mmCIF file of all heavy atoms in Angstrom:
data_model
loop_
_atom_site.group_PDB
_atom_site.id
_atom_site.type_symbol
_atom_site.label_atom_id
_atom_site.label_comp_id
_atom_site.label_asym_id
_atom_site.label_seq_id
_atom_site.Cartn_x
_atom_site.Cartn_y
_atom_site.Cartn_z
ATOM 1 N N GLU A 793 -31.053 27.890 -23.873
ATOM 2 C CA GLU A 793 -29.745 28.302 -24.358
ATOM 3 C C GLU A 793 -28.900 27.114 -24.794
ATOM 4 O O GLU A 793 -27.876 27.280 -25.480
ATOM 5 C CB GLU A 793 -29.007 29.098 -23.278
ATOM 6 C CG GLU A 793 -28.513 28.282 -22.080
ATOM 7 C CD GLU A 793 -29.600 28.070 -21.023
ATOM 8 O OE1 GLU A 793 -30.784 28.406 -21.311
ATOM 9 O OE2 GLU A 793 -29.253 27.609 -19.917
ATOM 10 N N ILE A 794 -29.278 25.906 -24.392
ATOM 11 C CA ILE A 794 -28.548 24.702 -24.790
ATOM 12 C C ILE A 794 -29.175 24.175 -26.081
ATOM 13 O O ILE A 794 -30.377 23.892 -26.135
ATOM 14 C CB ILE A 794 -28.597 23.629 -23.679
ATOM 15 C CG1 ILE A 794 -28.016 24.185 -22.374
ATOM 16 C CG2 ILE A 794 -27.853 22.379 -24.107
ATOM 17 C CD1 ILE A 794 -28.067 23.220 -21.219
ATOM 18 N N GLU A 795 -28.358 24.009 -27.102
ATOM 19 C CA GLU A 795 -28.870 23.579 -28.399
ATOM 20 C C GLU A 795 -28.918 22.059 -28.527
ATOM 21 O O GLU A 795 -29.912 21.500 -28.981
ATOM 22 C CB GLU A 795 -28.007 24.172 -29.514
ATOM 23 C CG GLU A 795 -28.029 25.697 -29.561
ATOM 24 C CD GLU A 795 -27.132 26.247 -30.655
ATOM 25 O OE1 GLU A 795 -26.513 25.414 -31.383
ATOM 26 O OE2 GLU A 795 -27.031 27.485 -30.778
ATOM 27 N N THR A 796 -27.833 21.388 -28.134
ATOM 28 C CA THR A 796 -27.795 19.923 -28.252
ATOM 29 C C THR A 796 -27.137 19.323 -27.009
ATOM 30 O O THR A 796 -26.287 19.961 -26.368
ATOM 31 C CB THR A 796 -27.002 19.465 -29.487
ATOM 32 O OG1 THR A 796 -25.659 19.952 -29.391
ATOM 33 C CG2 THR A 796 -27.647 19.952 -30.769
ATOM 34 N N ILE A 797 -27.537 18.115 -26.724
ATOM 35 C CA ILE A 797 -26.907 17.301 -25.676
ATOM 36 C C ILE A 797 -26.619 15.944 -26.273
ATOM 37 O O ILE A 797 -27.528 15.281 -26.811
ATOM 38 C CB ILE A 797 -27.808 17.161 -24.438
ATOM 39 C CG1 ILE A 797 -28.008 18.510 -23.748
ATOM 40 C CG2 ILE A 797 -27.202 16.157 -23.461
ATOM 41 C CD1 ILE A 797 -28.896 18.435 -22.524
ATOM 42 N N GLU A 798 -25.372 15.525 -26.205
ATOM 43 C CA GLU A 798 -24.981 14.210 -26.695
ATOM 44 C C GLU A 798 -24.592 13.344 -25.504
ATOM 45 O O GLU A 798 -23.687 13.695 -24.740
ATOM 46 C CB GLU A 798 -23.824 14.299 -27.690
ATOM 47 C CG GLU A 798 -23.479 12.952 -28.309
ATOM 48 C CD GLU A 798 -22.429 13.073 -29.390
ATOM 49 O OE1 GLU A 798 -22.022 14.216 -29.698
ATOM 50 O OE2 GLU A 798 -22.012 12.020 -29.933
ATOM 51 N N GLN A 799 -25.279 12.237 -25.345
ATOM 52 C CA GLN A 799 -25.029 11.319 -24.240
ATOM 53 C C GLN A 799 -24.242 10.120 -24.749
ATOM 54 O O GLN A 799 -24.684 9.409 -25.657
ATOM 55 C CB GLN A 799 -26.350 10.857 -23.616
ATOM 56 C CG GLN A 799 -26.171 10.009 -22.359
ATOM 57 C CD GLN A 799 -27.507 9.551 -21.791
ATOM 58 O OE1 GLN A 799 -28.548 9.785 -22.395
ATOM 59 N NE2 GLN A 799 -27.466 8.906 -20.636
ATOM 60 N N LYS A 800 -23.036 9.889 -24.155
ATOM 61 C CA LYS A 800 -22.149 8.820 -24.593
ATOM 62 C C LYS A 800 -21.955 7.826 -23.443
ATOM 63 O O LYS A 800 -21.942 8.205 -22.275
ATOM 64 C CB LYS A 800 -20.803 9.395 -25.038
ATOM 65 C CG LYS A 800 -20.920 10.402 -26.180
ATOM 66 C CD LYS A 800 -19.577 10.961 -26.585
ATOM 67 C CE LYS A 800 -19.725 11.987 -27.714
ATOM 68 N NZ LYS A 800 -18.426 12.547 -28.140
ATOM 69 N N PHE A 801 -21.763 6.563 -23.822
ATOM 70 C CA PHE A 801 -21.685 5.492 -22.843
ATOM 71 C C PHE A 801 -20.351 4.757 -22.965
ATOM 72 O O PHE A 801 -19.834 4.539 -24.073
ATOM 73 C CB PHE A 801 -22.835 4.498 -23.046
ATOM 74 C CG PHE A 801 -24.192 5.138 -22.997
ATOM 75 C CD1 PHE A 801 -24.861 5.458 -24.165
ATOM 76 C CD2 PHE A 801 -24.793 5.432 -21.789
ATOM 77 C CE1 PHE A 801 -26.110 6.047 -24.144
ATOM 78 C CE2 PHE A 801 -26.045 6.013 -21.746
ATOM 79 C CZ PHE A 801 -26.704 6.332 -22.913
ATOM 80 N N CYS A 802 -19.818 4.376 -21.804
ATOM 81 C CA CYS A 802 -18.571 3.608 -21.778
ATOM 82 C C CYS A 802 -18.826 2.168 -22.205
ATOM 83 O O CYS A 802 -19.951 1.678 -22.185
ATOM 84 C CB CYS A 802 -17.971 3.614 -20.373
ATOM 85 S SG CYS A 802 -17.747 5.252 -19.643
ATOM 86 N N GLU A 803 -17.762 1.499 -22.583
ATOM 87 C CA GLU A 803 -17.842 0.078 -22.872
ATOM 88 C C GLU A 803 -18.002 -0.673 -21.548
ATOM 89 O O GLU A 803 -17.333 -0.350 -20.560
ATOM 90 C CB GLU A 803 -16.575 -0.389 -23.596
ATOM 91 C CG GLU A 803 -16.630 -1.800 -24.132
ATOM 92 C CD GLU A 803 -17.570 -1.941 -25.314
ATOM 93 O OE1 GLU A 803 -17.936 -0.909 -25.937
ATOM 94 O OE2 GLU A 803 -17.937 -3.086 -25.626
ATOM 95 N N PRO A 804 -18.891 -1.660 -21.467
ATOM 96 C CA PRO A 804 -19.084 -2.384 -20.198
ATOM 97 C C PRO A 804 -17.770 -2.958 -19.682
ATOM 98 O O PRO A 804 -17.028 -3.616 -20.402
ATOM 99 C CB PRO A 804 -20.071 -3.504 -20.577
ATOM 100 C CG PRO A 804 -20.808 -2.958 -21.757
ATOM 101 C CD PRO A 804 -19.812 -2.124 -22.518
ATOM 102 N N GLY A 805 -17.496 -2.703 -18.431
ATOM 103 C CA GLY A 805 -16.267 -3.170 -17.815
ATOM 104 C C GLY A 805 -15.057 -2.314 -18.082
ATOM 105 O O GLY A 805 -13.980 -2.598 -17.560
ATOM 106 N N ARG A 806 -15.191 -1.249 -18.880
ATOM 107 C CA ARG A 806 -14.067 -0.368 -19.236
ATOM 108 C C ARG A 806 -14.461 1.059 -18.902
ATOM 109 O O ARG A 806 -15.008 1.774 -19.716
ATOM 110 C CB ARG A 806 -13.729 -0.480 -20.721
ATOM 111 C CG ARG A 806 -13.548 -1.898 -21.219
ATOM 112 C CD ARG A 806 -12.256 -2.493 -20.737
ATOM 113 N NE ARG A 806 -12.069 -3.835 -21.257
ATOM 114 C CZ ARG A 806 -10.991 -4.575 -21.071
ATOM 115 N NH1 ARG A 806 -9.992 -4.088 -20.354
ATOM 116 N NH2 ARG A 806 -10.903 -5.789 -21.562
ATOM 117 N N SER A 807 -14.204 1.464 -17.684
ATOM 118 C CA SER A 807 -14.619 2.782 -17.249
ATOM 119 C C SER A 807 -13.825 3.859 -17.970
ATOM 120 O O SER A 807 -12.599 3.799 -18.073
ATOM 121 C CB SER A 807 -14.427 2.929 -15.736
ATOM 122 O OG SER A 807 -14.740 4.237 -15.326
ATOM 123 N N SER A 808 -14.547 4.851 -18.492
ATOM 124 C CA SER A 808 -13.905 5.995 -19.143
ATOM 125 C C SER A 808 -14.237 7.293 -18.423
ATOM 126 O O SER A 808 -14.042 8.370 -18.972
ATOM 127 C CB SER A 808 -14.360 6.086 -20.604
ATOM 128 O OG SER A 808 -14.020 4.931 -21.314
ATOM 129 N N ILE A 809 -14.734 7.181 -17.215
ATOM 130 C CA ILE A 809 -15.103 8.377 -16.436
ATOM 131 C C ILE A 809 -14.213 8.423 -15.192
ATOM 132 O O ILE A 809 -14.681 8.396 -14.062
ATOM 133 C CB ILE A 809 -16.600 8.353 -16.077
ATOM 134 C CG1 ILE A 809 -17.003 6.994 -15.495
ATOM 135 C CG2 ILE A 809 -17.439 8.677 -17.287
ATOM 136 C CD1 ILE A 809 -18.443 6.941 -15.015
ATOM 137 N N GLN A 810 -12.902 8.466 -15.428
ATOM 138 C CA GLN A 810 -11.950 8.465 -14.321
ATOM 139 C C GLN A 810 -12.107 9.677 -13.420
ATOM 140 O O GLN A 810 -11.717 9.640 -12.252
ATOM 141 C CB GLN A 810 -10.519 8.400 -14.862
ATOM 142 C CG GLN A 810 -10.102 7.056 -15.426
ATOM 143 C CD GLN A 810 -10.603 6.832 -16.819
ATOM 144 O OE1 GLN A 810 -11.140 7.748 -17.459
ATOM 145 N NE2 GLN A 810 -10.439 5.621 -17.335
ATOM 146 N N GLU A 811 -12.653 10.779 -13.960
ATOM 147 C CA GLU A 811 -12.839 11.966 -13.127
ATOM 148 C C GLU A 811 -13.787 11.671 -11.966
ATOM 149 O O GLU A 811 -13.538 12.068 -10.814
ATOM 150 C CB GLU A 811 -13.392 13.123 -13.973
ATOM 151 C CG GLU A 811 -12.443 13.627 -15.050
ATOM 152 C CD GLU A 811 -12.511 12.827 -16.326
ATOM 153 O OE1 GLU A 811 -13.212 11.785 -16.334
ATOM 154 O OE2 GLU A 811 -11.862 13.213 -17.305
ATOM 155 N N VAL A 812 -14.864 10.946 -12.265
ATOM 156 C CA VAL A 812 -15.812 10.586 -11.208
ATOM 157 C C VAL A 812 -15.238 9.496 -10.312
ATOM 158 O O VAL A 812 -15.447 9.498 -9.098
ATOM 159 C CB VAL A 812 -17.155 10.153 -11.830
ATOM 160 C CG1 VAL A 812 -18.148 9.768 -10.752
ATOM 161 C CG2 VAL A 812 -17.723 11.267 -12.690
ATOM 162 N N ASP A 813 -14.507 8.561 -10.895
ATOM 163 C CA ASP A 813 -13.868 7.523 -10.083
ATOM 164 C C ASP A 813 -12.896 8.138 -9.086
ATOM 165 O O ASP A 813 -12.806 7.707 -7.928
ATOM 166 C CB ASP A 813 -13.136 6.537 -10.994
ATOM 167 C CG ASP A 813 -14.090 5.747 -11.867
ATOM 168 O OD1 ASP A 813 -15.276 5.652 -11.493
ATOM 169 O OD2 ASP A 813 -13.657 5.234 -12.915
ATOM 170 N N ASN A 814 -12.146 9.133 -9.538
ATOM 171 C CA ASN A 814 -11.228 9.823 -8.634
ATOM 172 C C ASN A 814 -11.985 10.547 -7.530
ATOM 173 O O ASN A 814 -11.549 10.564 -6.370
ATOM 174 C CB ASN A 814 -10.372 10.795 -9.432
ATOM 175 C CG ASN A 814 -9.423 11.595 -8.568
ATOM 176 O OD1 ASN A 814 -9.755 12.682 -8.099
ATOM 177 N ND2 ASN A 814 -8.235 11.052 -8.343
ATOM 178 N N LEU A 815 -13.121 11.137 -7.871
ATOM 179 C CA LEU A 815 -13.942 11.809 -6.861
ATOM 180 C C LEU A 815 -14.440 10.810 -5.823
ATOM 181 O O LEU A 815 -14.412 11.088 -4.618
ATOM 182 C CB LEU A 815 -15.110 12.517 -7.544
ATOM 183 C CG LEU A 815 -16.165 13.146 -6.622
ATOM 184 C CD1 LEU A 815 -15.541 14.235 -5.763
ATOM 185 C CD2 LEU A 815 -17.326 13.692 -7.444
ATOM 186 N N HIS A 816 -14.898 9.644 -6.273
ATOM 187 C CA HIS A 816 -15.355 8.617 -5.334
ATOM 188 C C HIS A 816 -14.223 8.172 -4.417
ATOM 189 O O HIS A 816 -14.436 7.923 -3.225
ATOM 190 C CB HIS A 816 -15.906 7.422 -6.106
ATOM 191 C CG HIS A 816 -17.179 7.719 -6.840
ATOM 192 N ND1 HIS A 816 -17.789 6.818 -7.675
ATOM 193 C CD2 HIS A 816 -17.965 8.831 -6.872
ATOM 194 C CE1 HIS A 816 -18.886 7.362 -8.177
ATOM 195 N NE2 HIS A 816 -19.002 8.583 -7.715
ATOM 196 N N SER A 817 -13.027 8.063 -4.972
ATOM 197 C CA SER A 817 -11.882 7.672 -4.156
ATOM 198 C C SER A 817 -11.591 8.703 -3.081
ATOM 199 O O SER A 817 -11.327 8.362 -1.920
ATOM 200 C CB SER A 817 -10.663 7.460 -5.045
ATOM 201 O OG SER A 817 -9.529 7.132 -4.286
ATOM 202 N N ARG A 818 -11.653 9.977 -3.438
ATOM 203 C CA ARG A 818 -11.407 11.025 -2.444
ATOM 204 C C ARG A 818 -12.485 11.030 -1.367
ATOM 205 O O ARG A 818 -12.205 11.256 -0.187
ATOM 206 C CB ARG A 818 -11.335 12.385 -3.134
ATOM 207 C CG ARG A 818 -10.055 12.610 -3.933
ATOM 208 C CD ARG A 818 -9.940 14.064 -4.365
ATOM 209 N NE ARG A 818 -10.912 14.395 -5.393
ATOM 210 C CZ ARG A 818 -11.535 15.561 -5.476
ATOM 211 N NH1 ARG A 818 -11.320 16.480 -4.550
ATOM 212 N NH2 ARG A 818 -12.377 15.806 -6.465
ATOM 213 N N ILE A 819 -13.727 10.786 -1.757
ATOM 214 C CA ILE A 819 -14.814 10.741 -0.774
ATOM 215 C C ILE A 819 -14.617 9.565 0.183
ATOM 216 O O ILE A 819 -14.780 9.700 1.399
ATOM 217 C CB ILE A 819 -16.172 10.646 -1.496
ATOM 218 C CG1 ILE A 819 -16.461 11.949 -2.245
ATOM 219 C CG2 ILE A 819 -17.287 10.343 -0.512
ATOM 220 C CD1 ILE A 819 -17.736 11.909 -3.067
ATOM 221 N N GLU A 820 -14.245 8.404 -0.361
ATOM 222 C CA GLU A 820 -14.036 7.236 0.491
ATOM 223 C C GLU A 820 -12.883 7.446 1.456
ATOM 224 O O GLU A 820 -12.944 7.025 2.608
ATOM 225 C CB GLU A 820 -13.787 6.015 -0.383
ATOM 226 C CG GLU A 820 -15.017 5.573 -1.168
ATOM 227 C CD GLU A 820 -14.708 4.462 -2.145
ATOM 228 O OE1 GLU A 820 -13.565 3.982 -2.126
ATOM 229 O OE2 GLU A 820 -15.603 4.074 -2.916
ATOM 230 N N LYS A 821 -11.819 8.105 1.009
ATOM 231 C CA LYS A 821 -10.692 8.367 1.900
ATOM 232 C C LYS A 821 -11.081 9.352 2.994
ATOM 233 O O LYS A 821 -10.657 9.228 4.143
ATOM 234 C CB LYS A 821 -9.509 8.907 1.100
ATOM 235 C CG LYS A 821 -8.851 7.875 0.209
ATOM 236 C CD LYS A 821 -7.691 8.477 -0.571
ATOM 237 C CE LYS A 821 -7.040 7.426 -1.464
ATOM 238 N NZ LYS A 821 -5.921 7.982 -2.245
ATOM 239 N N THR A 822 -11.876 10.341 2.654
ATOM 240 C CA THR A 822 -12.306 11.319 3.659
ATOM 241 C C THR A 822 -13.226 10.669 4.685
ATOM 242 O O THR A 822 -13.132 10.953 5.884
ATOM 243 C CB THR A 822 -13.023 12.491 2.971
ATOM 244 O OG1 THR A 822 -12.158 13.053 1.980
ATOM 245 C CG2 THR A 822 -13.396 13.561 3.984
ATOM 246 N N CYS A 823 -14.105 9.806 4.231
ATOM 247 C CA CYS A 823 -15.058 9.170 5.144
ATOM 248 C C CYS A 823 -14.469 7.960 5.857
ATOM 249 O O CYS A 823 -15.079 7.457 6.809
ATOM 250 C CB CYS A 823 -16.305 8.727 4.382
ATOM 251 S SG CYS A 823 -17.235 10.058 3.615
ATOM 252 N N GLY A 824 -13.292 7.491 5.410
ATOM 253 C CA GLY A 824 -12.740 6.252 5.958
ATOM 254 C C GLY A 824 -12.648 6.213 7.465
ATOM 255 O O GLY A 824 -13.263 5.364 8.116
ATOM 256 N N PRO A 825 -11.900 7.118 8.112
ATOM 257 C CA PRO A 825 -11.731 7.022 9.566
ATOM 258 C C PRO A 825 -12.843 7.668 10.367
ATOM 259 O O PRO A 825 -12.852 7.581 11.591
ATOM 260 C CB PRO A 825 -10.409 7.772 9.785
ATOM 261 C CG PRO A 825 -10.398 8.810 8.708
ATOM 262 C CD PRO A 825 -11.080 8.185 7.526
#
Side-chain angles (χ1 to χ4, degrees):
E793 71 276 9
I794 302 178
E795 297 178 1
T796 60
I797 294 180
E798 185 174 357
Q799 186 181 5
K800 301 179 181 180
F801 304 99
C802 307
E803 189 71 17
R806 309 287 182 176
S807 176
S808 300
I809 48 175
Q810 287 80 9
E811 295 84 353
V812 180
D813 294 338
N814 178 269
L815 173 62
H816 292 175
S817 178
R818 287 191 289 143
I819 292 176
E820 291 173 5
K821 289 179 180 179
T822 304
C823 298

